[in-house]
Amino acid sequence: MVAVLGAVISVAVVVALSFIVIKFVMAVRDFRKLCYAFRQFPHKKGNFIWGNLFEYPGPDDRGLKFQRDMTTEFPRVLTAWMGPSFPMLIVNHPETVRIILRTSEPKAHRIYHLLEPWIGDGLLLSKGQKWGRNRRLLTPAFHFDILKPYLAIKNKAADILLEKFQGCHDRGEYFEVFNDISMFTLDVILKCAFSYDTDCQRLGYQHPYVKAVFALSEMAVKRFFQPWFHSDWLYFLTPTGRRFLKCCRQVHAVAEEVIQKRKEALAKGSQPAAEEQSRRRRCLDFLDILLTARDENNEGLRPDEIRAEVDTFLFEGHDTTASAIAWAMYSLAEHPDIQTRCQREVDELLDGRETDDVLWEDFNRMPYLTMCLKEAMRLHTPVPFIQRQLTQDTLIDGHTAPAGTIVNIVIYNIHHNPVVWEESMEYRPERFTEENCNARNPYAFIPFSAGPRNCIGQTFAMHEIKLVMAKMLRRYTLELDPNHKVEKFESVVMKTKTGIRMKATPRQPAGQKY
């Protein structure tokens, strides 16, 4: 009996070892094929173990210069290795970018899962049928009929922001741009998308939601460059990982409060008067649509899907827009002559009105300001990079990238590609004249991404940016603090290490009301 048992064990060990050896041989074979495929693309030789990981100086001005230099050397596509077994492609040219963005290829799970505990499997991260279904369900939230009533909210929120500028002027103080603008965009997204008022603009940067989002962005970028912490179970054992989860809980608490208050309001008004029903049909917000949307099977979004979309839009609807506005202000303050020309355009539009409120039809009547805003988004690129993961072998620039390849679409590199943009570090609004835009590849300027997975809220965001900048330039002249150095910090969105200090000098007689 003992001999039989020993024989069985021996056979089992042999089978197990054979299985391991076969799997190892297959893994080596697949890895050799992967290496061969990636060697066909342009690349810099990297370290045998770390690849190109430690060549990158960091997510700051040095790192951005490194990216520009690499784009000059490899203007179309290149391979980079983050360690011995983690290759990725980086596409830098409109033609190579188009190959990826014209498809519905999903976000790279290996990277974007770093954000999933924060924003869930919402529209930003979801893929396949779920993404397609939810995109269809949420698209009505950004119809013009839904967006138009938001103008009154945005105008009022902008007035609060400009009152804060006036207070700083009266006290002879500079203000920090990102702090105040982040509060403005958070106020707008909460009120427009969720009909939720927190008075966050007056609470200032100490608002717990904004502090948590800033910390999450910083930790996510740092983790991206630490592949050994890409495993959740290991990362969440560390002090930083535990802090990340704590910040996630703070962000989720805001989303859950927003949802709960709306559910309570809907329950109380379950049978509103006909007049209220009519009003709500005209003024549905994003949360209304989340709670009431139904697909072709008459199925709505699950509670976890609703929270994921709320978390996603709270982040994407305020942080990215805040970055775009802050860098637009910085660009105009750096170029007083261009700022003056924008002010003249806004004055011609608003002269003779009782207020400086921006109307729906005004958005197409500010061509020069629009050019300036686009050039600021090109030069400073609010969303510096996005990623996709190929689901099938794909021909890119004459070489085949195998299924499973992670493709880095570094929007900052595309916006500074010297093959496309002459003197890319110069601020030149005339790049965006109609003639120049028509002559340029449409994938050369993609601040909101492009293709089927582009930003669903880009019209909402551009209206917000134009509105607040027009009102700001109507009332004030912007000037930078000459004693403060502005240094970029490349996070999930483009920010700064120590902020942007600025003052706003009134253009109208003191005490004049708008």
Side-chain angles (χ1 to χ4, degrees), residues 364-431:
N364 293 323
R365 297 174 180 172
M366 297 181 280
Y368 189 69
L369 176 59
T370 301
M371 289 162 53
C372 293
L373 298 179
K374 288 182 177 180
E375 176 64 351
M377 286 190 284
R378 180 202 67 80
L379 181 59
H380 302 290
T381 314
V383 179
F385 63 92
I386 55 178
Q387 290 182 324
R388 297 287 189 268
Q389 186 161 2
L390 302 181
T391 58
Q392 57 188 345
D393 293 355
T394 304
L395 189 66
I396 301 175
D397 228 27
H399 305 293
T400 299
T405 296
I406 292 176
V407 182
N408 248 16
I409 303 164
V410 187
I411 300 176
Y412 180 88
N413 294 0
I414 299 159
H415 288 177
H416 292 81
N417 190 322
V419 175
V420 181
W421 305 97
E422 179 183 330
E423 300 293 339
S424 72
M425 292 302 288
E426 292 188 11
Y427 181 71
R428 298 180 181 176
E430 62 271 14
R431 299 182 201 268

Side-chain angles (χ1 to χ4, degrees), residues 3 9 25 94 134 149 159 197 205 229 254 267 355 405 473 505 507:
I9 293 174
V25 170
N134 289 3
D159 288 338
D197 189 354
Y205 188 67
F229 281 141
V254 174
T355 71
T405 296
L473 293 169
T505 302
R507 299 180 60 215

Side-chain angles (χ1 to χ4, degrees), residues 225-243:
F225 290 103
Q226 298 174 325
W228 50 92
F229 281 141
H230 284 188
S231 169
D232 284 347
W233 72 265
L234 179 60
Y235 181 66
F236 293 140
L237 290 175
T238 68
T240 303
R242 291 193 293 271
R243 180 171 171 243

Side-chain angles (χ1 to χ4, degrees), residues 370-505:
T370 301
M371 289 162 53
C372 293
L373 298 179
K374 288 182 177 180
E375 176 64 351
M377 286 190 284
R378 180 202 67 80
L379 181 59
H380 302 290
T381 314
V383 179
F385 63 92
I386 55 178
Q387 290 182 324
R388 297 287 189 268
Q389 186 161 2
L390 302 181
T391 58
Q392 57 188 345
D393 293 355
T394 304
L395 189 66
I396 301 175
D397 228 27
H399 305 293
T400 299
T405 296
I406 292 176
V407 182
N408 248 16
I409 303 164
V410 187
I411 300 176
Y412 180 88
N413 294 0
I414 299 159
H415 288 177
H416 292 81
N417 190 322
V419 175
V420 181
W421 305 97
E422 179 183 330
E423 300 293 339
S424 72
M425 292 302 288
E426 292 188 11
Y427 181 71
R428 298 180 181 176
E430 62 271 14
R431 299 182 201 268
F432 289 93
T433 63
E434 184 176 357
E435 180 182 7
N436 285 335
C437 289
N438 290 338
R440 193 164 50 235
N441 189 308
Y443 286 82
F445 178 65
I446 50 171
F448 298 102
S449 186
R453 290 194 70 123
N454 68 347
C455 175
I456 194 173
Q458 61 182 288
T459 301
F460 178 95
M462 278 304 297
H463 285 177
E464 183 177 351
I465 296 166
K466 288 184 183 182
L467 180 147
V468 72
M469 291 301 301
K471 289 173 75 79
M472 194 183 300
L473 293 169
R474 173 68 164 170
R475 297 193 200 182
Y476 297 102
T477 295
L478 305 173
E479 299 176 57
L480 292 170
D481 181 349
N483 299 315
H484 179 76
K485 183 179 180 181
V486 176
E487 299 178 86
K488 281 190 172 72
F489 177 77
E490 189 179 16
S491 182
V492 178
V493 302
M494 191 70 77
K495 296 189 176 181
T496 67
K497 285 186 175 181
T498 57
I500 301 173
R501 287 176 54 81
M502 194 175 288
K503 68 178 178 180
T505 302

